[in-house]
Every structure is written in C-alpha cells, then in structure tokens.
Amino acid sequence: LAKTTQPISMDSYEGQEVNITCSHNNIATNDYITWYQQFPSQGPRFIIQGYKTKVTNEVASLFIPADRKSSTLSLPRVSLSDTAVYYCLVAEGSGNTGKLIFGQGTTLQVKP
Amino acid sequence: GAVVSQHPSWVICKSGTSVKIECRSLDFQATTMFWYRQFPKQSLMLMATSNEGSKATYEQGVEKDKFLINHASLTLSTLTVTSAHPEDSSFYICSAWGSRGAGITEAFFGQGTRLTVV
C-alpha cells in the first residue's frame, strides 16, 4: 500500500501559485519525502526532495512541518506546461534507497 | 547527472510472442532496479525489484514466470514479457537510485516502454 495520500486533482490558472499537500502519517525516521512530476507517456521526473522544514530549488519549494506527517509542494507562477500528474513519495526501506510505492498522485490542470 | 534509459520506447507484438525491454543506467552503477507498470489514467504499480546477480523480488500478484527479470550487470536489467496477451498491453517503466550530487539521492526513471499486444 502507498504510504501517501494526495488530492486526486487540482485546477489552477496560469501565473498562480499552486500548493499540493500530501499526507504521510506513518513516515519512518529514515524516510525522505520526494516529489515527482509525470507527463503522459513519459517516466516520472524528480522535482524536489526534503527531510524536514523547507527546501527550495529552481522549480519548487517543499514545506515539511516538524512532525513530518505531511508535506506541501509549492509551484510558483504555474504555466500551461506544468499540467501534469504530481506524485508525493516516501522511500520504503532503509535509508533512501528502498522501493518507491506510488499513490494515486494529483493531476494538476493549468488553465489559460 | 544520472540517467536511466529504456529500449525500446514502444513495441507492438502479436499475442503469444515474447517481448524484451531493456533498462540501462548510463553513467552510474545500479545494484537494484525497479520495474513498474502503468495503465491509462492510473498510477505506477511496482511489479518487481531487480537485484544484480540474484533473483528478482516480485510484488504480490505479479507472475514471475510471465514477467522474467534478468539483472546480469550493474548497468542493465531486462524485463521479458512472455507469451504476451492483449491484457499485458501497458506502459512499462524502470527506475534506479542514483545521486544528483549535493547529497541528494533520487530514483531516476526511464522514459518508459509502450507495449501493445495485438
């Protein structure tokens, strides 16, 4: 079973900030939280990874509260090309090299 | 950065034949690779964990005799769909853990293989 729960879908408009929240109530001490993006007929692509607090890179920010039972992916000023499925995952197994079990993901639709 | 490459990107085969899909880690070694299957509008479903030099570990409900996995080297894992049937038509994706530097370890995914069985 997937260790994460996300909203199935979200709609947004170009230029808006999008926040997708993921629940992972049973996250283990060694688990990292990683978000992936998938376009149709392509493999998932890494977006961002974090363990606690806040992580920011050139495409997104990841907010993780102290209890680590949830996380929020923040996409600033989305564009039409950000329309995709977003998956929140926690690694299963020791360290950060265990198998990844995908949940249903969040389908983000960005409208003009 | 680390790259995982799959071949072929798509394949069409006749029912009853076998199809082999290759997954290569291009610039890093992967002792473990993972194989997923994805049906339209659904999430990725883990099929098996491929271990270099040993037998693969299959998820519950996945037929090991139908989906043969071989991981003979640190850079290559293969998935063979034997006696394929139309219901095996799906998008198959492999992945392997690698490092992108800065202390981040991530799962790199291949581009996927679209299998259509007619």
Side-chain angles (χ1 to χ4, degrees):
Chain A
L1 293 177
K3 299 170 70 172
T4 61
T5 304
Q6 307 171 230
I8 293 177
S9 64
M10 292 183 69
D11 288 342
S12 181
Y13 290 92
E14 281 191 295
Q16 289 188 333
E17 178 184 79
V18 171
N19 295 308
I20 306 174
T21 298
C22 175
S23 296
H24 27 81
N25 292 316
N26 298 316
I27 188 169
T29 302
N30 291 335
D31 286 343
Y32 279 69
I33 301 151
T34 311
W35 285 79
Y36 288 84
Q37 176 192 56
Q38 187 184 29
F39 297 111
S41 296
Q42 294 185 25
R45 187 178 71 173
F46 175 93
I47 300 175
I48 197 167
Q49 183 183 89
Y51 184 81
K52 61 180 179 180
T53 62
K54 177 184 175 181
V55 180
T56 298
N57 62 20
E58 62 275 10
V59 298
S61 294
L62 179 60
F63 300 90
I64 305 169
D67 65 6
R68 305 202 324 124
K69 292 183 181 299
S70 66
S71 60
T72 299
L73 174 71
S74 181
L75 304 172
R77 297 183 298 280
V78 294
S79 64
L80 295 176
S81 63
D82 292 317
T83 293
V85 180
Y86 293 82
Y87 293 98
C88 160
L89 296 104
V90 297
E92 183 174 317
S94 61
N96 200 25
T97 57
K99 57 184 179 182
L100 290 176
I101 305 297
F102 283 76
Q104 80 275 19
T106 298
T107 299
L108 173 65
Q109 180 70 49
V110 180
K111 303 175 182 178
Chain B
V3 175
V4 172
S5 178
Q6 277 183 247
H7 178 82
S9 296
W10 59 270
V11 58
I12 301 173
C13 71
K14 291 185 177 181
S15 186
T17 62
S18 296
V19 173
K20 180 185 286 187
I21 303 170
E22 293 185 347
C23 178
R24 295 182 183 274
S25 56
L26 294 187
D27 52 3
F28 67 103
Q29 294 181 334
T31 56
T32 303
M33 291 184 175
F34 304 94
W35 286 96
Y36 295 85
R37 179 169 55 181
Q38 185 175 35
F39 293 107
K41 304 294 184 182
Q42 295 187 24
S43 183
L44 285 77
M45 185 192 78
L46 180 65
M47 300 175 65
T49 302
S50 172
N51 303 298
E52 187 269 335
S54 64
K55 292 183 179 180
T57 303
Y58 291 82
E59 295 298 305
Q60 189 173 7
V62 178
E63 301 175 58
K64 62 179 182 180
D65 294 330
K66 181 168 184 62
F67 299 100
L68 301 179
I69 292 174
N70 184 277
H71 195 154
S73 78
L74 289 172
T75 59
L76 174 64
S77 175
T78 60
L79 169 68
T80 301
V81 183
T82 63
S83 186
H85 289 95
E87 56 265 31
D88 298 323
S89 297
S90 187
F91 191 55
Y92 293 86
I93 306 169
C94 69
S95 75
W97 286 98
S99 175
R100 60 164 48 223
I104 294 177
T105 303
E106 68 176 84
F108 291 88
F109 291 83
Q111 71 271 36
T113 298
R114 175 74 59 191
L115 170 64
T116 303
V117 184
V118 297

